[in-house]
Amino acid sequence: MSRLDREIDELSAISAHPAPAVTRVLFSPEDLSAREWLMVLAKEAGFQVRQDPVGNLFIRWEGSEPCLPAVATGSHTDAIPNAGKYDGVVGVLGGLEAMRVLKESGHVPKRSIELIMFTAEEPTRFGIGCLGSRLMAGTTSPEQAQALRDSEGRSLEELRAAAGCRGNLGAVKLSTGAYKAFVELHIEQGPLLEEAKRDIGVVEKIAAPSAFRLLLKGSGGHAGAVLMPQRRDAFLAAAEIALLVEKAALESGSPDTVGTTGLVEVKPGAINSIPCDVKMEVDFRDTDKEARDKALARIGDGTHAICKRRKIEIGWQVINQDPPALCDPSLVALVESQAVAGRCTYQRMISRAYHDSLFMARVCPTVMIFIPCYKGYSHRPDEYSSPEAIAKGVKVLAGCLKELSAK
Ligand code: GLV
Ligand code: MN
Ligand code: MN
């Protein structure tokens, strides 16, 4: 087993759920242990480590001209409940491996190379994904971040302080020109590369994600005593809205629209009590922003009509509504040339999942390198990428970092 494969296994064992599931929620004991573990690895490899006020970790290999904008790579190590061991991890540990291999080969970078472990790419704790990179890009303001609360009412401020992240959140924003380029290695999380038997996906565009939360208020009561015409059942409104989300995605006119009602909390949550309160969260995405926004407007109108008919009060909170990101054409060409140099087959593609690259693309030229994963499975315990597939991704990444850091 290679050093990298062993480390991927080791990290997967730092989990709140037993193997093969991996659960590492932001600032949970597991997330904190994973961070400590990564910092030890980085220091052992001879790199410097620093942490910003929101807990983004920067693992730096100082170049011979440290004042030049650095070349960055990285991804995340947090994991949604019951996830697998490769999402994000391949980009972090694969990035570390790429840096170590370059160092061992005698490469002397002119520009520094930084591996970034982004805080909370996953939205599990605060409902918003890419928290660390959003703050780095300035897309989320420190005030918006300070207002975040998790489902237990704990604030980001409280949790980050407990995790030892000091300083003002305003300091997380990157200065213009901080990086020359950002290259993120990631599993595809879809089936296309495996089906096409290609080693590398060269990402040209990242789909536009959006998410919203609905707070529906009806009227509770006894499940036996309140007759049907008198009811104001908040869950039935939620059920109709979830079906509308599906319909709006199916009928958007864009083949890439996807809508998911992934979270529904029903209160009081008793079999013999009419649901009076529902919190639901909907994830809605497309590569075509206009088609997505038109479908979202349809969902908005339909939701108000459903709630009016059912006499349900409604609170609508936009969690995010981000534009898509375009990867940098010269970096796309660089990844292709490194794939050729590494004797890897490749194809250009779109990322349907979001990544920290979506926000890094606002700060510096950005590209993503995808590798195949088994049947496209992701966000589930049987997520799998073979050691050979990962090794090819690392080889292409190392080639890109070598090129970019040399001049
Ligand atoms: C990232 O995890 C996503 O949901 O796209
Ligand atoms: Mn993920
Ligand atoms: Mn990911």
Side-chain angles (χ1 to χ4, degrees):
M1 196 187 250
S2 75
R3 169 170 68 184
L4 173 58
D5 300 330
R6 208 177 50 244
E7 288 166 357
I8 291 173
D9 271 1
E10 254 179 71
L11 180 51
S12 73
I14 308 177
S15 163
H17 288 129
V22 177
T23 301
R24 260 192 314 270
V25 176
L26 171 68
F27 295 147
S28 62
E30 298 76 32
D31 180 43
L32 298 178
S33 306
R35 288 163 179 269
E36 286 297 326
W37 175 86
L38 178 63
M39 285 193 268
V40 170
L41 274 193
K43 286 178 190 159
E44 276 172 9
F47 303 129
Q48 303 160 7
V49 182
R50 69 177 199 281
Q51 177 173 271
D52 75 8
V54 80
N56 291 312
L57 286 182
F58 300 82
I59 293 169
R60 182 174 168 96
W61 179 10
E62 190 106 308
S64 59
E65 295 193 26
C67 293
L68 290 176
V71 174
T73 185
S75 197
H76 61 102
T77 56
D78 65 326
I80 65 165
N82 225 30
K85 59 183 183 182
Y86 301 92
D87 175 6
V89 166
V90 164
V92 174
L93 295 182
L96 181 65
E97 180 64 6
M99 286 162 69
R100 287 186 303 212
V101 166
L102 287 176
K103 196 165 182 228
E104 287 157 8
S105 74
H107 175 63
V108 179
K110 180 169 162 190
R111 290 175 189 274
S112 304
I113 301 179
E114 285 198 0
L115 169 67
I116 309 174
M117 195 289 294
F118 294 94
T119 280
E121 191 266 358
E122 301 291 6
T124 314
R125 183 135 216 171
F126 288 113
I128 180 131
C130 298
L131 179 59
S133 51
R134 279 177 193 275
L135 281 160
M136 285 166 86
T139 311
T140 292
S141 67
E143 294 72 30
Q144 286 167 323
Q146 273 156 1
L148 290 172
R149 299 282 180 281
D150 70 6
S151 59
E152 289 162 13
R154 300 184 71 187
S155 69
L156 172 64
E157 289 304 79
E158 174 193 342
L159 288 163
R160 77 181 177 96
C165 304
R166 289 176 227 304
N168 193 302
L169 285 179
V172 175
K173 188 164 185 278
L174 294 175
S175 51
T176 324
Y179 290 110
K180 175 188 165 75
F182 178 69
V183 187
E184 180 171 2
L185 173 65
H186 206 283
I187 61 168
E188 182 199 337
Q189 305 183 285
L192 301 181
L193 289 173
E194 187 183 66
E195 279 167 15
K197 298 193 171 33
R198 298 253 160 71
D199 301 321
I200 297 293
V202 187
V203 176
E204 290 186 285
K205 187 175 181 181
I206 304 171
S210 66
F212 59 91
R213 180 181 301 119
L214 289 179
L215 304 171
L216 305 175
K217 195 164 204 43
S219 179
H222 196 286
V226 183
L227 291 177
M228 299 309 280
Q230 272 73 54
R231 291 195 182 192
R232 292 169 53 216
D233 184 323
F235 172 69
L236 292 181
E240 276 200 62
I241 294 165
L243 291 172
L244 173 62
V245 166
E246 182 194 35
K247 197 170 164 61
L250 284 168
E251 295 174 2
S252 74
S254 156
D256 291 333
T257 318
V258 284
T260 308
T261 304
L263 187 145
V264 181
E265 279 171 19
V266 181
K267 282 189 181 156
I271 190 172
N272 54 354
S273 185
I274 300 164
C276 55
D277 283 291
V278 166
K279 173 169 118 175
M280 64 193 288
E281 290 184 359
V282 176
D283 177 302
F284 208 82
R285 316 181 188 200
D286 205 321
T287 52
D288 175 344
K289 182 176 177 295
E290 269 172 42
R292 181 200 67 184
D293 290 348
K294 242 168 91 182
L296 281 175
R298 179 177 173 192
I299 295 169
D301 292 346
T303 295
H304 283 101
I306 291 164
C307 291
K308 191 165 173 210
R309 174 164 42 80
R310 290 186 171 274
K311 299 191 175 59
I312 301 292
E313 289 166 39
I314 166 176
W316 184 295
Q317 298 170 355
V318 174
I319 298 173
N320 64 293
Q321 197 160 335
D322 301 300
L326 286 179
C327 293
D328 180 77
S330 65
L331 290 179
V332 166
L334 174 65
V335 175
E336 286 177 333
S337 69
Q338 290 304 322
V340 171
R343 294 173 199 272
C344 297
T345 53
Y346 66 90
Q347 70 182 55
R348 292 188 177 197
M349 56 197 309
I350 284 165
S351 170
R352 289 166 202 285
Y354 59 71
H355 301 280
D356 294 300
S357 285
L358 185 69
F359 298 97
M360 288 305 282
R362 297 175 180 219
V363 174
C364 64
T366 292
V367 73
M368 293 192 74
I369 302 169
F370 275 180
I371 57 165
C373 57
Y374 173 66
K375 288 190 177 176
Y377 291 168
S378 187
H379 284 184
R380 44 190 275 183
D382 51 0
E383 182 182 83
Y384 176 74
S385 275
S386 69
E388 297 74 29
I390 296 171
K392 284 179 181 162
V394 170
K395 193 184 205 182
V396 173
L397 174 64
C400 292
L401 297 179
K402 185 174 179 186
E403 276 282 311
L404 290 165
S405 63
K407 42 186 184 274

